Amino acid sequence: MNELDVLRVFCGPGGHHGNTLGVVRDGRTYPDEASRQALAAELGFSETVFVDDPERGVVDIRTPGTRLPFAGHPLVGVAWLLDLEVVNPPAGEVWARHDGEFTWIAARPEWAPPRLLQRYATAAEVDALPAPPPGEGRLYAWAWEDEAAGRVRARAFPRRDDGIAEDEATGAAALLLTAGLGRALNITQGRGSQILTAPGPDGMIEIGGRVRFAPPAPH
């Protein structure tokens, strides 16, 4: 296999958890749609990114079954890995910044794929959901852990036929929830991933988190 970096994006405070991301630094090694989609399916990560122009941050984002115009955790991950200030997915220009242990991107809510943002009464109800819950279409289940502090408990279920039952950390969903609530959030998602968000000027939303290299797979 050609050079592939495997990252964990939106890690928790101790550097654990996070959503796994594959990054192919030289997209030319997978020059066509079929080869890229085949690799994304083979890896089985929620998303895999192919870097087509590292200077301008031009990237191609793939799930195991389709291409995405925008996704949060891949853009945060590739911005951290390549120390980019701008990333260019198909949706449009995304600005990035690095602040201590956090990497941030600024994006527009309309770039995020639509999904149902379903509020539950308690974090325990979110924890108790099966993976995935019955139904169709993307589901983002959330509840307040501490509304005054902006702390949210969330889980994300793509509910598409590609082998991903639950998304460990979903920047696009956090973007939509932040836009809907109109306030900064501190989201604990999945097993313990952390996503920070903040509304910005002109309708933009910032999404931030920790990124780490994934540990090598055991032999």
Side-chain angles (χ1 to χ4, degrees), residues 70-86:
F70 172 85
H73 101 272
L75 298 179
V76 171
V78 77
W80 175 85
L81 179 67
L82 302 181
D83 195 25
L84 297 173
E85 294 183 356
V86 179

Side-chain angles (χ1 to χ4, degrees), residues 2-214:
N2 292 287
E3 184 177 2
L4 174 75
D5 290 288
V6 181
L7 311 177
R8 291 182 292 109
V9 184
F10 298 127
C11 296
H16 304 296
H17 308 299
N19 203 355
T20 307
L21 173 71
V23 180
V24 178
R25 293 196 192 214
D26 186 353
R28 295 172 299 179
T29 58
Y30 294 88
D32 54 47
E33 294 269 332
S35 63
R36 292 184 176 195
Q37 202 58 63
L39 179 66
E42 176 189 344
L43 293 173
F45 303 147
S46 293
E47 278 96 13
T48 299
V49 173
F50 299 84
V51 181
D52 289 319
D53 185 336
E55 297 298 321
R56 297 193 301 122
V58 177
V59 297
D60 182 21
I61 306 168
R62 305 273 170 163
T63 73
T66 193
R67 186 184 194 221
L68 295 178
F70 172 85
H73 101 272
L75 298 179
V76 171
V78 77
W80 175 85
L81 179 67
L82 302 181
D83 195 25
L84 297 173
E85 294 183 356
V86 179
V87 190
N88 277 286
E93 188 174 70
V94 174
W95 289 90
R97 65 182 178 89
H98 309 278
D99 177 17
E101 63 177 337
F102 293 95
T103 296
W104 296 80
I105 61 168
R108 297 196 171 279
E110 57 265 30
W111 291 345
R115 69 200 66 216
L116 174 62
L117 305 177
Q118 186 167 333
R119 180 179 174 180
Y120 288 79
T122 66
E125 289 184 34
V126 175
D127 289 337
L129 291 171
E136 297 182 358
R138 294 182 178 93
L139 171 66
Y140 197 60
W142 71 279
W144 289 113
E145 284 189 319
D146 183 339
E147 185 172 359
R151 291 177 53 234
V152 168
R153 174 70 176 118
R155 293 173 69 192
F157 307 98
R159 294 197 296 198
R160 55 183 185 241
D161 188 21
D162 62 4
I164 307 296
E166 180 171 354
D167 223 351
E168 173 62 25
T170 314
L175 174 71
L176 291 174
L177 184 61
T178 302
L181 296 174
R183 57 180 295 186
L185 300 175
N186 182 342
I187 301 170
T188 299
Q189 186 178 324
R191 296 169 300 153
S193 300
Q194 184 180 30
I195 306 170
L196 302 181
T197 70
D202 302 322
M204 299 291 281
I205 304 289
E206 280 202 308
I207 311 166
R210 303 174 187 84
V211 186
R212 301 285 187 271
F213 284 104

